């Protein structure tokens, strides 16, 4: 198997330079009322819901297309195709329209209609994959995107397991660390430098958290010199990062839930190699129905190579009711309107899953 190129901290800083004035520098928000309710710590939220197309995905999509045109103009001229449950599809469609690149998006059959309508409105050729019993919805969409690439000549792009996408997503971390340091030090009124204790990141395939991990490396150095912990949070039933973190190895939902199944007829994990995401993937018996943007079949190969050695923790929110409560809290205290996946980081903090929320610096759930 060929060695995959890996993203770097330098690549994230380069992407931040490239995307300057091309993406929204979203604000960080703080509520003294919610801080007091949580015990007096400082909770900072990076409001990526205010980004172009409504999520952080625009950063990675735009950077990916800029680099594609720069490195392989003929591939850009053929147009691009990707699979997406909605947010990356909107982002890639908008970025492609901006750069005058043909774009097709394959979305799962049950993706929210509001996201599908916006993908089309941003100018993409929208294709819908069909349901396949017992198979992860994103695996089906991914297979169709690959088929379109071969049959119609599109350049196939991956929504998270891609070096240039990860570099683009990492610009959130560059901004967040800069903004948080300025805010914390301005308000502390002390000569002692304050930094974020931890960053809690809603996670699907791991592209955003990989980019943020590299941004922390760029800002603080690698290994023991890192002062800010980075943690993933996932919806119940789609906790592949949490399980992978606990096992110290990359695990797919297929491996996790086949191993836990009482059905002796279920395929064994050895029949379901991670590299073949089109294989049947048993559905978790208890799973989130609300967090449609965070239902990846497994951590990405590239993303896990970055995240595995850098994560300080990985948790799963217990149920969709917790997410709904976080959405309400986000509106009540920050006047932010969030989709369920975007509220997951806040849900983890409200559940007490992140134990350093009352630390001396601050904590920041990233909201897609």
């Amino acid at each position: 198997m060929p060695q995959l190129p890996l993203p770097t901290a330098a690549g994230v800083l380069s992407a931040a330079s490239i995307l300057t004035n091309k993406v929204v520098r979203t604000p960080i928000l703080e509520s003294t009322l919610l801080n007091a309710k949580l015990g007096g710590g400082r909770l900072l939220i990076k409001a990526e819901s205010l980004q172009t197309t409504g999520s952080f995905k625009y950063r990675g999509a735009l950077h990916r297309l800029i680099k594609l045109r720069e490195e392989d103009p003929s591939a850009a001229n053929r147009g691009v195709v990707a699979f997406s449950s909605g947010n990356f599809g909107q982002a890639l469609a908008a970025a492609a329209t901006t750069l005058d690149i043909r774009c097709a998006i394959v979305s799962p059959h049950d993706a929210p209609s509001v996201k599908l309508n916006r993908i089309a409105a941003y100018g993409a050729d929208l294709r819908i994959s069909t349901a396949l019993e017992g198979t992860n919805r994103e695996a089906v969409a991914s297979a169709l995107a690959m088929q379109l690439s071969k049959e119609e000549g599109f350049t196939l792009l991956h929504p998270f397991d891609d070096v240039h996408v990860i570099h683009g997503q990492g610009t959130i971390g560059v901004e967040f660390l800069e903004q948080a340091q300025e805010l914390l030090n301005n308000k502390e009124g002390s000569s002692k430098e304050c930094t974020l204790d931890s960053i809690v990141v809603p996670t699907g395939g791991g592209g955003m958290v990989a980019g943020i991990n590299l941004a922390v490396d760029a800002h603080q150095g690698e290994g023991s010199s890192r002062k800010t912990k980075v943690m993933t949070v996932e919806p119940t039933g789609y906790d592949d990062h949490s399980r992978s973190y606990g096992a110290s190895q990359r695990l797919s939902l297929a491996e996790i839930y086949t191993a836990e199944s009482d059905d002796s007829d279920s395929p064994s994990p050895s029949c379901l190699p991670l590299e073949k995401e089109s294989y049947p993937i048993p559905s978790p018996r208890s799973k989130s129905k609300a967090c449609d943007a965070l239902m990846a079949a497994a951590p990405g190969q590239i993303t896990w190579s970055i995240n595995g050695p850098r994560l300080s923790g990985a948790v799963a929110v217990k149920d969709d009711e917790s997410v709904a409560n976080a959405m309400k809290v986000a509106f009540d205290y920050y006047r932010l309107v969030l989709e369920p996946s975007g509220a997951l980081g806040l849900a983890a903090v409200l559940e007490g899953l992140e134990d350093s929320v009352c630390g001396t610096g601050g904590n920041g759930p990233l909201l897609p």
Side-chain angles (χ1 to χ4, degrees), residues 124-138:
D125 177 5
L126 177 63
R127 316 286 182 96
I128 306 296
S129 61
T130 57
L132 185 58
E133 182 67 26
T135 303
N136 180 279
R137 64 205 281 268
E138 294 197 5

Side-chain angles (χ1 to χ4, degrees), residues 50-249:
L50 303 179
Q51 186 56 257
T52 304
T53 72
S55 86
F56 73 94
K57 296 283 191 178
Y58 187 71
R59 297 172 182 267
L62 182 59
H63 186 253
R64 183 66 186 91
L65 292 184
I66 289 172
K67 298 301 287 187
L68 180 67
R69 175 162 282 170
E70 174 188 306
E71 296 174 353
D72 192 348
S74 64
N77 290 338
R78 291 196 302 272
V80 296
V81 63
F83 73 91
S84 168
S85 61
N87 286 336
F88 186 76
Q90 293 177 74
L92 191 66
T97 296
T98 298
L99 298 175
D100 195 25
I101 294 174
R102 188 167 67 114
C103 175
I105 298 295
V106 179
S107 291
H109 66 283
D110 56 352
S113 59
V114 64
K115 293 183 178 181
L116 298 180
N117 292 338
R118 287 176 181 168
I119 289 171
Y122 281 122
D125 177 5
L126 177 63
R127 316 286 182 96
I128 306 296
S129 61
T130 57
L132 185 58
E133 182 67 26
T135 303
N136 180 279
R137 64 205 281 268
E138 294 197 5
V140 178
S142 174
L144 180 54
M146 187 176 298
Q147 180 182 334
L148 289 176
S149 172
K150 293 176 180 178
E151 293 179 354
E152 301 185 27
F154 289 104
T155 298
L156 181 65
L157 302 181
H158 201 284
F160 56 82
D161 217 24
D162 178 285
V163 170
H164 295 312
V165 171
I166 292 168
H167 285 160
Q169 315 300 34
T171 63
I172 309 168
V174 174
E175 288 180 11
F176 196 17
L177 290 163
E178 291 174 351
Q179 292 168 309
Q181 187 172 37
E182 179 180 351
L183 177 65
L184 292 170
N185 288 303
N186 281 349
K187 287 195 173 182
E188 292 294 338
S190 167
S191 59
K192 182 180 178 181
E193 182 176 305
C194 297
T195 59
L196 290 170
D197 292 326
S198 56
I199 303 175
V200 185
V201 188
T203 302
M208 174 165 60
V209 69
I212 289 169
N213 265 315
L214 292 173
V216 173
D217 283 355
H219 196 259
Q220 301 176 359
E222 298 184 40
S224 60
S225 64
R226 286 168 57 118
K227 300 175 184 178
T228 299
K229 298 186 298 182
V230 177
M231 303 176 60
T232 63
V233 56
E234 297 167 299
T236 182
Y238 295 94
D239 52 346
D240 42 285
H241 279 81
S242 177
R243 302 299 189 95
S244 296
Y245 179 79
S248 298
Q249 62 176 320

